[in-house]
Amino acid sequence: MIISGCDSKSVLQWVFSTGLDCSGPALPGCSAEGRFQITVINPMHDRRARATLDISSGAIAGISDTHSVPPSEFAGCFAMPGLVDMHVHLPADNALKLTQGAALLYLLHGVTSIREAGDLDGTAVAAARRLSSKAAHPVPRVFSCGPFVGAGKATFKNTILLEDASPAAADAAACRVKADGASFMKFYEGLTEPMIRSLEQACAKHGLKMMGHVPAGITYEDARISEVQHFFGVPEPRTLERDTLVNRSCDWHAVDERRMDRIVEATLEHGIANTPTIVTNQKMLCYRDFEAARRQSDMSKVPPFYLDVIWHPEHGRFNNRLPRDYLERQVVPAIAKKQRLTRKLFDAGAQLYLGTDCRTTLRHPGRQPA
């Protein structure tokens, strides 16, 4: 079991865990002060057994290898950096209090920071910030992308549409994103390559980081977005069965080793980061047997209307209506190829981020990053 660190504003966020044995010591309180002997795990770096953690004023003051600290309520626990989900979508603000439920699930699973990768209607981030500022409810730290920035027809209500690729239009969009309290700009559908270049300059001017979809009709290497979501743009546009988000995510039949090597080359050349979110494709396979999938134990944490309406294969969104033959013909091979490309990028030293794209199909906060 995992709980959040004692001070959500600390430079380092830590969580305490009883390890694999959930019947271990009781969970410590969040008012920890003093020195405690625990095992400190720094993922991919080291593991320090019987380390001493010094907590002062709710923050970590130091970590040492001294062994003279007497046993405490933390005996048998582990400390590790709090988890960060780099791609989520918080629920809209409404009477159902979905924000509070999502926040608790993130913290329950040790996720102490999230990046809201697109507030669909413009109410979700504000709701989380109100809870945090008023100390009304525990929430993870939220880093926001603000409104989507696209062109043409808006996919979501909370979208800024560029009329042209002029610096003035890009600057106006950046000002609106900045005014929303965002730290990232989310590039979205309809943008042309000249628009992307203008937005890059505007983001640099206003101190905004960048992430987003490679828009339809543009390849990964031509878009050169500094952080690409879902590996969009890897399949070349001419190879897609249809121009939809699902097909752009799953139609990888023409992606071979040569294409993957080209993506790795372009990634390193332009310093591109990727958030693959492969779990979104893995969850599509639940439509092989949706009724069995909805009976899984973790689905008990999901409000029923998600399963009955939003994610339902017959009553839900169009993107959920995936034929069985498409799942086997495209989705299954796409997962394997995306995993292969991720490994290639990792081995090459490219930047990769973990994100769940939570609130897409059969996803709930805090589970299965990829």
Side-chain angles (χ1 to χ4, degrees):
M1 186 173 291
I2 301 173
I3 62 173
S4 64
C6 296
D7 179 9
S8 63
K9 295 182 180 179
S10 300
V11 175
L12 293 176
Q13 285 286 335
W14 292 74
V15 294
F16 291 94
S17 171
T18 59
L20 297 177
D21 182 4
C22 290
S23 62
L27 292 176
C30 280
S31 58
E33 285 285 326
R35 306 177 76 204
F36 309 95
Q37 192 171 100
I38 55 177
T39 297
V40 175
I41 300 173
N42 194 4
M44 299 183 66
H45 291 281
D46 57 27
R47 175 190 176 103
R48 300 166 66 177
R50 299 178 62 198
T52 295
L53 194 65
D54 187 358
I55 300 179
S56 176
S57 301
I60 296 171
I63 304 172
S64 66
D65 293 320
T66 59
H67 304 308
S68 59
V69 178
S72 70
E73 60 179 329
F74 293 102
C77 291
F78 300 84
M80 58 188 293
L83 302 176
V84 180
D85 192 330
M86 292 291 283
H87 190 121
V88 311
H89 297 282
L90 288 170
D93 184 26
N94 55 45
L96 298 178
K97 298 186 182 298
L98 299 176
T99 308
Q100 290 90 323
L104 285 179
L105 283 174
Y106 281 120
L107 295 173
L108 174 66
H109 292 95
V111 179
T112 60
S113 298
I114 58 175
R115 181 172 61 173
E116 223 291 343
D119 185 339
L120 306 190
D121 70 350
T123 68
V125 172
R129 286 175 176 161
R130 282 196 302 272
L131 291 174
S132 179
S133 64
K134 296 178 181 179
H137 192 280
V139 296
R141 289 184 298 178
V142 178
F143 299 88
S144 169
C145 293
F148 297 84
V149 179
K153 183 179 179 181
T155 306
F156 301 109
K157 176 182 178 181
N158 189 30
T159 301
I160 299 169
L161 295 176
L162 260 64
E163 295 184 358
D164 53 50
S166 67
D171 190 74
C175 287
R176 285 184 58 187
V177 171
K178 190 78 172 181
D180 194 66
S183 52
F184 287 80
M185 178 183 284
K186 176 78 175 278
F187 295 1
Y188 212 62
E189 304 304 325
L191 295 177
T192 63
E193 187 181 345
M195 288 177 175
I196 293 172
R197 302 285 83 83
S198 290
L199 288 170
E200 286 176 340
Q201 295 179 12
C203 286
K205 175 181 175 182
H206 293 279
L208 290 167
K209 297 180 180 180
M210 295 163 285
M211 62 178 291
H213 287 191
V214 172
I218 306 178
T219 63
Y220 178 100
E221 58 268 45
D222 287 339
R224 302 191 302 282
I225 294 174
S226 60
E227 186 199 327
V228 174
Q229 308 299 297
H230 322 302
F231 282 147
F232 276 12
V234 173
E236 297 183 84
R238 60 181 175 79
T239 69
L240 302 180
E241 292 185 12
R242 294 186 302 163
D243 181 14
T244 70
L245 291 177
V246 169
N247 291 89
R248 289 164 59 201
S249 176
C250 301
D251 290 4
W252 278 54
H253 53 278
V255 177
D256 54 16
E257 291 293 319
R258 182 176 180 180
R259 178 62 180 158
M260 291 187 198
D261 290 341
R262 174 68 186 115
I263 295 300
V264 173
E265 177 186 352
T267 297
L268 297 178
E269 179 183 355
H270 300 291
I272 298 170
N274 278 277
T275 306
T277 67
I278 302 173
V279 68
T280 59
N281 301 115
Q282 293 169 330
K283 282 298 184 180
M284 289 178 184
L285 300 182
C286 290
Y287 287 112
R288 288 167 165 167
D289 189 342
F290 181 76
E291 292 305 314
R294 69 180 295 162
R295 291 194 298 268
Q296 295 175 359
S297 59
D298 62 340
M299 288 297 102
S300 64
K301 301 179 178 66
V302 175
F305 68 85
Y306 277 98
L307 295 162
D308 295 338
V309 180
I310 297 175
W311 296 338
H312 197 277
E314 296 177 5
H315 312 307
R317 297 173 298 191
F318 178 78
N319 288 345
N320 297 340
R321 302 169 192 178
L322 303 176
R324 178 65 180 265
D325 73 298
Y326 183 79
L327 295 175
E328 307 304 331
R329 177 170 50 84
Q330 291 284 33
V331 180
V332 171
I335 292 170
K337 289 185 177 183
K338 288 185 176 186
Q339 291 171 333
R340 173 71 175 149
L341 176 57
T342 301
R343 183 71 205 197
K344 282 177 173 282
L345 290 167
F346 178 83
D347 288 343
Q351 187 70 57
L352 294 164
Y353 298 131
L354 294 178
T356 62
D357 204 1
C358 183
R359 291 306 181 189
T360 54
T361 301
L362 292 158
R363 305 289 306 110
H364 72 71
R367 296 288 290 176
Q368 296 173 298

